[in-house]
Amino acid sequence: LMGIALSTAADWWRAGRRPRDLGLVVGAAALALVPMAGLGASWSRGGWMGFGVAATAMIVLVPRRSAWGAVLVSVIGLVGGGLYATGRLPQTIVARLTGFLAYVRFQDVRGVGVTDATFAVVERMAHWQAALAMWRDHFWLGVGLGCYEPAYPVYRLLNWRLPLGHAHNAYLNMAAEVGLIGLVAYLVWAGVLLIGSVVAVWKLDGWRRRLALGLVGAWVHLAVHSLVDNLLVNNVHVHVGVLAALTAYVLAAAQGRTNSVPDVGQFRSGEA
């Protein structure tokens, strides 16, 4: 939705800012604000991190000239840095985003003090440590797909008995379960989808470009959020499959293979 809103606003600006099209821009922005409000209310650091990087990537790609995108990101960065330096950002949000950094480590966390404020972060570090130990012992093929939880009792730290189902880091979880070979395969797959979405943004126009821009944001968010959590649970893989299908669609359109790809107009006219 944010990709649609950004691209719609950019098209409206390039088209001469016609008043009759302003309603479309406002409507797209309003739709984008709904999930953004939910994201803010979730209080999820991983979600905020993913959103920030994804929004940056989309803003860079919105203008046809990449130099303008870089200028926009620079301006936003300067404004945000200025607000942070002058203490004008809400301290609760600043503390939420930065307070955990002192506890992020890939070394032994058994000596780290645990409080109500640090419990969630240290718990993640403990599961990262267990995943790294699994990967070290099963470097190439891992302990087996879906076997992080059954293998966890052998590798768990003393004070962290519950496996939680995954390592709270998708990349470490994959390394532990399917080893280096499986992790590299996933990274290649994800990289192809992200690059394909970027290529589609460069080559397409209209609603297809808006869709491609939104896909770039979705893939970047997934990549960043996966650093602190494993999102492939509770049937989220179905959502990822839909994103992959849409990426294949826009990439096919970008390559000019539209004869085999139905258009929205064909569905409306009954030709598809």
Side-chain angles (χ1 to χ4, degrees), residues 5-256:
L6 287 172
S7 187
T8 301
D11 290 344
W12 174 74
W13 186 269
R14 285 194 298 268
R17 302 176 291 283
R18 293 175 296 188
R20 64 184 180 86
D21 294 331
L22 182 59
L24 181 61
V25 177
V26 173
L31 286 175
L33 287 175
V34 174
M36 288 173 62
L39 178 63
S42 73
W43 214 239
S44 168
R45 283 178 291 225
W48 292 357
M49 290 165 51
F51 172 78
V53 180
T56 301
M58 288 189 289
I59 290 171
V60 169
L61 292 172
V62 165
R64 288 292 181 179
R65 296 181 181 179
S66 56
W68 283 113
V71 169
L72 286 173
V73 171
S74 299
V75 170
I76 293 172
L78 288 173
V79 172
L83 291 174
Y84 175 76
T86 57
R88 299 192 178 187
L89 289 177
Q91 289 304 308
T92 53
I93 295 178
V94 173
R96 181 71 177 169
L97 287 173
T98 61
F100 72 100
L101 294 176
Y103 302 96
V104 175
R105 61 187 72 187
F106 286 97
Q107 62 191 48
D108 197 337
V109 296
R110 282 174 287 193
V112 176
V114 180
T115 65
D116 290 343
T118 63
F119 179 88
V121 176
V122 178
E123 183 181 43
R124 273 181 166 81
M125 300 305 104
H127 282 76
W128 289 12
Q129 189 170 334
L132 285 169
M134 293 181 199
W135 190 20
R136 182 180 60 246
D137 290 349
H138 306 273
F139 185 74
W140 294 106
L141 298 176
V143 297
L145 185 62
C147 291
Y148 173 86
E149 187 169 0
Y152 182 78
V154 178
Y155 296 93
R156 72 174 180 85
L157 275 63
L158 181 63
N159 295 326
W160 307 98
R161 298 182 179 181
L162 299 178
L164 303 182
H166 54 80
H168 279 283
N169 180 309
Y171 306 106
L172 290 179
N173 199 89
M174 290 181 192
E177 291 188 352
V178 293
L180 181 64
I181 295 175
L183 177 61
V184 170
Y186 172 79
L187 293 176
V188 170
W189 175 81
V192 168
L193 290 170
L194 176 57
I195 293 172
S197 300
V198 173
V199 170
V201 171
W202 288 338
K203 292 186 175 182
L204 294 175
D205 294 302
W207 69 269
R208 286 193 179 98
R209 186 173 192 270
R210 298 182 183 114
L211 175 59
L213 187 64
L215 288 167
V216 170
W219 291 124
V220 171
H221 182 103
L222 178 64
V224 174
H225 198 162
S226 293
L227 290 169
V228 293
D229 214 335
N230 182 12
L231 302 181
L232 301 179
V233 295
N234 296 330
N235 294 323
V236 172
H237 60 278
V238 177
H239 178 67
V240 174
V242 172
L243 293 177
L246 290 172
T247 303
Y249 170 79
V250 296
L251 188 55
Q255 294 173 344

